[in-house]
Amino acid sequence: LMPEIEKRPQDVSSARLMVATGEAFPVDIKKRLAAAAPNIGLYTFYAQTEAGFITGLRPEEQASHPESCGRPVPAIDVRIVDENMNDLPRGEVGEIICRCGLPGTMSMPEYWRNPEATKNAFHEGGLRTGDLGVVDEEGFVTILDRKKNIIIRGGENIACLDVEGALHTHPDVIEACAFSVPDPRLGEVVGASVQTRDGKPLTQADMAAHLDARLAKFKIPEKLWCQDGPLTRGATDKIDRRAIRAACLDT
């Protein structure tokens, strides 16, 4: 929506509230929205189909905690755990587990006719979200990425959301998707597909120069694919990372 809002900000002058949920809201797009439509109060929620709303960030918190998805909503307990399901102290990265009563109270009760997936989805009554995150001293939760979306480049862990957030800061990028690309020496390197404004071509060198001050060098995409149309999306309208990666690697 942002290109249209920026073209015609008067058309949203009467809007007072916007709610966004799903994945982490890119900070650059959040800043663009605040500049184009300062009258809109933005609520961003972290939610899952299996869990409903988990955390929320209020309009007055968007500027002070722009990268966060907010605090747990009332009655929701959020834990950060390591690979052995041990609780981690605040400030350390681990998997997000949420709970509100027994399974089926807040979260789904089970996966349909899939007892094995159901067993793996819960721990001590809490739903394993599959997301990596961290909780700060004030209780604000920040999502880093899906566990399965972490790119391991020569032993360095790279969150796709970090890369995509930086890619969105380029003035000619409308949307972006980062993913792993096989590499014979490092195992994986970072690749990215971007939709560019008006189909403007961008080279990997162009993008690397733009990202140099925004990302650690090992996080900068080493392979870049540009397209002038929207990136592929799935049934829930989220970017289909798997399909995009497959299409790019086939070219």
Side-chain angles (χ1 to χ4, degrees), residues 25-33 165 167-170 173:
F25 200 109
V27 175
D28 183 64
I29 296 178
K30 188 181 295 187
K31 291 178 179 178
R32 288 168 58 191
L33 177 65
L167 289 168
H168 278 120
T169 66
H170 194 289
V173 170

Side-chain angles (χ1 to χ4, degrees), residues 118-209:
T118 300
K119 178 182 176 181
N120 293 333
F122 290 97
H123 175 71
E124 296 180 351
L127 179 72
R128 299 184 61 179
T129 66
D131 290 324
L132 293 177
V134 62
V135 180
D136 68 14
E137 292 301 324
E138 298 177 86
F140 285 89
V141 179
T142 299
I143 304 171
L144 301 181
D145 213 338
R146 296 288 293 170
K147 289 180 70 175
K148 62 184 179 182
N149 289 341
I150 295 295
I151 301 168
I152 303 176
R153 181 189 184 278
E156 297 279 5
N157 289 352
I158 302 168
C160 289
L161 289 179
D162 279 352
V163 178
E164 290 164 359
L167 289 168
H168 278 120
T169 66
H170 194 289
D172 293 319
V173 170
I174 295 177
E175 59 180 1
C177 175
F179 47 82
S180 65
V181 175
D183 183 84
R185 184 173 68 89
L186 297 169
E188 295 177 335
V189 295
V190 182
S193 177
V194 297
Q195 179 191 1
T196 57
R197 201 174 307 280
D198 301 320
K200 184 173 182 178
L202 290 173
T203 67
Q204 192 278 332
D206 292 334
M207 187 58 74

Side-chain angles (χ1 to χ4, degrees), residues 75-149:
I76 304 298
D77 176 52
V78 170
R79 298 167 55 197
I80 305 294
V81 300
D82 62 18
E83 292 290 341
N84 298 315
M85 297 294 109
N86 296 315
D87 288 298
L88 292 171
R90 293 197 171 188
E92 291 196 20
V93 177
E95 183 178 0
I96 300 171
I97 290 183
C98 60
R99 178 175 177 171
C100 180
L102 297 174
T105 304
M106 176 276 293
S107 66
M108 61 163 194
E110 61 184 11
Y111 283 111
W112 176 249
R113 294 181 178 177
N114 195 334
E116 186 64 24
T118 300
K119 178 182 176 181
N120 293 333
F122 290 97
H123 175 71
E124 296 180 351
L127 179 72
R128 299 184 61 179
T129 66
D131 290 324
L132 293 177
V134 62
V135 180
D136 68 14
E137 292 301 324
E138 298 177 86
F140 285 89
V141 179
T142 299
I143 304 171
L144 301 181
D145 213 338
R146 296 288 293 170
K147 289 180 70 175
K148 62 184 179 182
N149 289 341

